[in-house]
């Protein structure tokens, strides 16, 4: 739970490095402590006096680990091993984004699909989207790479340089989408907001509006 998703090898290397550093510091620190306490036997006869402070060195060596044991109560989170400590913050893979209806988007783009476009902005990194354009405007956006460490409210921008007009020029506006909670995976959850996470969802804005109108009509009749 302490390791962010995708950084397992890096975390292992850090732990191994910390262990090696601790071992080295312990060796040199122990040697320095024996020197300070005058415990420096050379194997010569009648040098029992060299060991008169050995008990003190042994006592210090036994008490030092208490420092790390005590620090664990302050450095480790008060949580069980099954609790989520580091939310993944991935944009849900292969699903449509809920914020498209209110998104800032171009109006003169070439019809068709623009796959795997990079994004900028937000607290995370690495998210890429596919875009479907109909009648000059974006009608569907789906995740091709989820990225990591995003949070609800993040504003992601796809530059107009990637969404071209029919004559090959940049469109008249960037595509700017605000991520909602439903768009973000927390704690490695696998389910998707629009269905199976392994299917690309390309439902368009008009479908969403139609479904909303049907829901509203049902509630009115009730």
């Amino acid at each position: 739970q302490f390791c962010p998703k995708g950084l397992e090898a890096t975390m292992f290397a850090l732990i191994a490095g910390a262990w090696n550093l601790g071992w080295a510091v312990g060796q040199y620190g122990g040697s320095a402590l024996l020197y300070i306490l005058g415990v420096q036997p050379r194997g010569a006869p009648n040098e029992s006096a060299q060991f008169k402070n050995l008990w003190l060195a042994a006592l210090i060596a036994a008490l030092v680990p208490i420092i790390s044991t005590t620090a664990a109560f302050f450095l480790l989170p008060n949580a069980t091993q099954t609790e989520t400590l580091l939310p993944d913050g991935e944009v849900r893979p292969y699903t449509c984004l809920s914020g498209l209806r209110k998104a800032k988007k171009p109006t003169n783009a070439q019809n068709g699909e623009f796959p795997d476009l990079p994004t900028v902005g937000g607290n995370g990194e690495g998210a890429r989207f596919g875009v479907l354009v109909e009648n000059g405007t974006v009608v569907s956006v789906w995740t091709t790479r989820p990225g990591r460490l995003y949070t609800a409210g993040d504003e992601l921008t796809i530059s107009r340089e990637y969404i071209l007009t029919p004559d090959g020029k940049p469109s008249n506006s960037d595509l700017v989408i605000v991520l909602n909670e439903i768009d973000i995976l927390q704690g490695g959850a696998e389910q998707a907001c629009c269905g199976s996470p392994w299917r690309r969802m390309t439902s368009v804005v008009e479908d969403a509006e139609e479904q909303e109108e049907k829901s509203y009509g049902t509630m009115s009749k009730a």
Side-chain angles (χ1 to χ4, degrees), residues 20 25 43 66 112 114 116 178 181 196:
N20 290 327
V25 171
I66 295 178
F114 295 86
D116 203 35
V178 177
E181 274 192 37
S196 168

Side-chain angles (χ1 to χ4, degrees), residues 136-218:
T137 190
V138 176
V139 295
S140 183
V141 177
W142 60 92
T143 313
T144 57
R145 299 187 191 179
R148 54 188 292 271
L149 302 180
Y150 290 100
T151 57
D154 278 353
E155 189 175 272
L156 302 187
T157 300
I158 297 176
S159 172
R160 65 192 190 97
E161 301 287 337
Y162 298 108
I163 306 176
L164 304 178
T165 62
D167 56 0
K169 296 180 180 179
S171 57
N172 59 1
S173 174
D174 295 336
L175 174 60
V176 182
I177 297 180
V178 177
L179 297 178
N180 297 320
E181 274 192 37
I182 196 173
D183 299 319
I184 307 296
L185 281 175
Q186 300 291 352
E190 291 294 341
Q191 70 273 17
C193 66
C194 301
S196 168
W198 312 117
R199 249 179 71 221
R200 190 189 76 186
M201 305 297 292
T202 56
S203 56
V204 297
V205 176
E206 288 77 11
D207 293 338
E209 292 175 343
E210 182 179 350
Q211 184 177 2
E212 184 175 326
E213 290 174 0
K214 288 181 180 179
S215 300
Y216 180 81
T218 303

Side-chain angles (χ1 to χ4, degrees), residues 68-90:
S68 58
T69 304
T70 305
F73 290 96
F74 300 95
L75 299 178
L76 297 179
N78 184 20
T80 65
Q81 291 185 343
T82 57
E83 291 183 51
T84 298
L85 302 178
L86 296 174
D88 287 342
E90 293 184 353

